[in-house]
């Protein structure tokens, strides 16, 4: 009898061992595959089982969470969705996350280990902390001024604090309401299909994810390169610049919109945007120095993140002299985002220094305790401080005496540069209207804001579209909003 009991006990031990082996296989060896299985909804249920943290602008949330009482309980809400869509992006139960909702998902969803009061215990229990908040650098008044200024026209605005790199405004138009994509039902599916099929691409972040030929606004870079290289030493001395200018090695003759550009000084050529002068200056500087200066401003940089990625602005380094001439006036293969051109204006305003732009000031726990702050940002010198001082003088002249008078602000010093960029086959497309600028209040020690504006579909006769007429008033409104803050 005892022998049978021993056999039964041994058999039970074997069964127990088999059960333990199976449990280890399921819970440890195969855990990853089960977690990643689309049929496993536990992760989604946990993710949406509590309210998401918020994105804050000026201390107030521009996002929220709505209790649906369904299995995936909380959906994202956006009180001012179209206004802040280029900043927040969307958080969708069906289509994932974009922009800050994606870059700061760990904080917002509560999965970041830094949010846990007892990280080791939370790691063992897999407990989810309450979602934290993301404090942005956005200036609410500047954001609203940019959005209202575009009035639904295709285009974008980017504004920076030159002294720090803080992004003060980031607007794209036309925009959309991210709340339409928050759920996982039929309305979200229809909104997704409609937005993706829209030829105006309302979900495209034109401020950081779309490049344009910068046109004459790129002459800021060309002028800086010419001054740094010593090709120009006196702003008021005549330049050796024929009008028209024959592009080297070709029969193509480059002309200007107005008169008075033949051998014009750099000051006069900058005020009235003489293509012939700047194309020849670019050729005289040479491709290596032009490329080096453009790179210093941020062109051809593939690593820029704000914290989500920005598309690369380009200055072609493999060009002949004719192509270099066109590149130097913001045409040919030269392309830039509005954020990049705001960086160019900010560098002039800050003594030639380019500060890497950033959108997140700090992240905090739900109660307001700081989790992380934005550390020192990389700084590079795009031009000599003396050159930057001369460029400030040239840009100020554009607003006081040249093509940028619509950007003038009483009681402030404003510098700017207009641009009208041709594009399309044979330059038949409606020109893009550009304006880049900076502003300093009378009581300010240094400029407080730098802005870039591009308007794609300015509603006027093609020949009447200018950066000074269409983009400069928008930049003025944004700069005034910051100065008045």
């Amino acid at each position: 009898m005892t022998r049978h009991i021993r056999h039964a006990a041994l058999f039970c031990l074997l069964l127990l061992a088999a059960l333990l082996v199976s449990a280890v296989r399921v819970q440890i060896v195969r855990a990853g595959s089960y977690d990643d299985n689309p049929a496993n909804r536990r992760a989604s249920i946990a993710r949406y089982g509590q309210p998401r943290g918020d994105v804050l602008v000026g201390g107030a949330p521009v996002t929220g969470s709505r209790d649906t009482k369904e299995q995936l309980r909380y959906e994202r809400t956006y009180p001012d969705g179209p206004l802040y869509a280029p900043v927040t992006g969307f958080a969708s139960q069906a289509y994932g996350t974009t922009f800050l909702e994606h870059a700061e998902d760990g904080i917002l969803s509560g999965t970041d280990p830094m949010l846990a009061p007892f990280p080791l215990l939370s790691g063992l229990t897999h407990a989810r902390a309450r979602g934290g908040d993301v404090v942005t650098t956005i200036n609410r008044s500047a954001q609203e001024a940019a959005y209202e200024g575009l009035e639904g026209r295709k285009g974008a605005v980017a504004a920076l604090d030159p002294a720090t790199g803080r992004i003060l405004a980031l607007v794209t138009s036309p925009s959309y309401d991210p709340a339409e994509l928050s759920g996982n039902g039929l309305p979200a599916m229809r909104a997704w299909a409609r937005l993706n099929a829209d030829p105006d691409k309302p979900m495209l972040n034109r401020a950081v994810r779309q490049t344009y030929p910068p046109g004459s606004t790129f002459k800021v870079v060309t002028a800086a390169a010419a001054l740094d290289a010593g090709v120009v030493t006196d702003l008021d001395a005549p330049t050796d610049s024929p009008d028209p200018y024959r592009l080297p090695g070709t029969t193509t003759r480059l002309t200007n919109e107005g008169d008075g550009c033949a051998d014009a000084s750099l000051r006069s050529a900058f005020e009235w945007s003489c293509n012939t002068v700047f194309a020849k200056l670019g050729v005289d500087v040479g491709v290596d120095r032009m490329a080096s200066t453009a790179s210093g401003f941020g062109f051809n940089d593939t690593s820029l993140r704000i914290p989500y990625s920005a598309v690369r602005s380009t200055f072609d380094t493999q060009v002949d002299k004719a192509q270099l001439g066109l590149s130097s006036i913001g045409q040919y293969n030269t392309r830039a985002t509005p954020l990049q051109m705001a960086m160019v204006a900010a560098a002039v305003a800050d003594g030639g220094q380019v500060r890497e732009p950033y959108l997140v000031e700090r992240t905090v726990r739900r109660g307001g305790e700081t989790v992380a702050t934005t550390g020192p940002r990389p700084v590079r010198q795009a031009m000599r401080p003396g050159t930057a001082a001369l460029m400030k003088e040239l840009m100020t002249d554009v607003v006081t005496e040249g093509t940028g008078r619509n950007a003038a602000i009483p009681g402030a010093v404003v510098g700017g540069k207009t641009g009208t960029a041709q594009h399309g086959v044979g330059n038949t497309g409606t020109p893009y209207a550009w304006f880049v600028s900076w502003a300093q209040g009378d009581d300010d020690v240094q400029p407080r804001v730098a802005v870039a504006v591009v308007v794609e579909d300015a509603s006027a006769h093609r020949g009447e579209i200018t950066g000074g007429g269409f983009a400069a008033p928008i930049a003025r409104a944004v700069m005034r909003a910051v100065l008045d803050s």
Side-chain angles (χ1 to χ4, degrees):
M1 185 68 178
T2 303
R3 183 166 58 87
H4 293 301
I5 293 175
R6 284 200 304 270
H7 288 170
L10 181 60
F11 182 68
C12 289
L13 286 174
L14 290 173
L15 290 177
L16 179 60
L19 182 61
L20 291 174
V21 169
S22 177
V24 168
R25 176 176 174 273
V26 170
Q27 296 186 27
I28 298 179
V29 178
R30 299 293 303 279
S33 62
Y34 290 136
D35 285 341
D36 297 336
N37 192 311
N40 181 11
R41 290 174 59 84
R42 292 176 62 87
S44 295
I45 292 170
R47 177 180 178 85
Y48 300 108
Q50 65 179 22
R52 192 170 171 83
D54 287 319
V55 176
L56 307 182
V57 171
V62 296
T63 58
S65 296
R66 181 176 69 90
D67 190 351
T68 66
K69 308 297 184 183
E70 298 176 357
Q71 189 178 54
L72 302 184
R73 185 169 174 180
Y74 287 95
E75 285 184 6
R76 200 56 151 159
T77 60
Y78 299 89
D80 294 301
L83 175 61
Y84 292 105
V87 176
T88 62
F90 62 76
S92 169
Q93 293 178 352
Y95 303 108
T97 54
T98 58
F99 302 151
L100 279 188
E101 293 277 28
H102 180 75
E104 300 293 344
D105 183 65
I107 292 290
L108 296 168
S109 66
T111 58
D112 193 310
M114 297 179 67
L115 292 175
F118 305 104
L120 182 60
L121 181 61
S122 299
L124 293 173
T125 62
H126 299 287
R128 183 186 294 261
R130 292 184 64 187
D133 295 335
V134 174
V135 181
T136 71
T137 59
I138 293 293
N139 179 302
R140 183 180 291 270
S141 297
Q143 187 81 0
E144 291 173 350
Y147 188 77
E148 291 168 5
L150 284 171
E151 296 181 320
R153 293 172 294 181
K154 282 185 189 176
V157 179
L160 303 173
D161 179 345
T164 62
R166 298 168 70 245
I167 297 176
L168 303 177
L170 205 63
V171 169
T172 184
S173 178
S175 190
Y176 73 106
D177 187 356
E180 293 185 295
L181 304 175
S182 293
N184 58 11
L186 190 58
M189 294 176 61
R190 287 174 175 166
W192 178 259
R194 172 175 52 81
L195 291 169
N196 279 286
D198 191 328
D200 288 337
K201 300 181 179 179
M203 289 197 294
L204 173 62
N205 189 336
R206 289 176 163 84
V208 298
R209 295 275 177 90
Q210 177 69 43
T211 60
Y212 304 87
S216 292
T217 60
F218 190 79
K219 291 171 184 174
V220 175
V221 178
T222 303
L227 289 166
D228 264 357
V231 172
V232 175
T233 56
D234 183 345
L235 298 184
D236 298 301
T239 58
D240 180 15
S241 307
D243 181 11
Y245 170 57
R246 184 173 60 82
L247 295 173
T250 74
T251 58
T252 302
R253 293 182 178 273
L254 193 63
T255 59
N256 301 288
E257 293 291 333
D259 299 325
C261 287
D263 299 326
S265 67
L266 182 61
R267 187 188 303 276
S268 178
F270 196 83
E271 284 180 21
W272 300 104
S273 210
C274 296
N275 287 333
T276 51
V277 173
F278 283 92
K280 187 173 185 301
L281 280 179
V283 173
D284 291 344
V285 170
V287 66
D288 290 340
R289 290 297 294 265
M290 280 297 301
S292 176
T293 301
S295 176
F297 279 104
F299 284 80
N300 298 328
D301 182 3
T302 60
S303 62
L304 180 60
R305 303 186 68 83
I306 65 171
Y308 56 83
S309 62
V311 73
R312 178 175 65 110
S313 297
T314 58
F315 181 83
D316 197 337
T317 60
Q318 304 296 319
V319 290
D320 60 27
K321 288 186 176 182
Q323 294 163 343
L324 177 59
L326 293 175
S327 298
S328 300
I329 59 172
Q331 298 290 339
Y332 190 58
N333 287 339
T334 304
R335 297 186 68 87
T337 63
L339 179 63
Q340 172 62 68
M341 294 313 297
M343 292 167 62
V344 169
V348 173
D350 193 36
Q353 296 184 110
V354 176
R355 300 180 186 273
E356 189 171 315
Y358 64 97
L359 188 54
V360 175
E361 195 79 73
R362 65 185 184 277
T363 54
V364 299
R365 292 189 176 89
R366 204 62 167 176
E369 181 185 357
T370 297
V371 175
T373 59
T374 300
R377 310 295 289 183
V379 178
R380 59 179 176 270
Q381 198 74 29
M383 58 189 141
R384 293 196 300 262
T387 296
L390 294 175
M391 291 305 307
K392 286 182 72 173
E393 188 177 331
L394 291 178
M395 292 184 75
T396 302
D397 289 346
V398 168
V399 175
T400 58
E401 301 177 22
T403 57
R405 296 181 184 183
N406 282 339
I409 300 173
V413 178
V414 179
K417 183 69 189 79
T418 56
T420 307
Q422 310 293 337
H423 68 101
V425 178
N427 290 333
T428 56
T430 302
Y432 298 140
W434 274 96
F435 194 73
V436 300
S437 57
W438 50 265
Q440 177 177 345
D442 281 347
D443 297 329
D444 296 327
V445 177
Q446 59 189 15
R448 287 174 53 195
V449 58
V451 182
V453 178
V454 63
V455 181
E456 289 187 40
D457 56 353
S459 53
H461 185 273
R462 186 176 188 275
E464 299 172 354
I465 295 172
T466 65
F470 285 89
I474 301 172
R476 179 185 61 208
V478 174
M479 292 185 291
R480 178 175 285 167
V482 174
L483 295 179
D484 290 345
S485 309

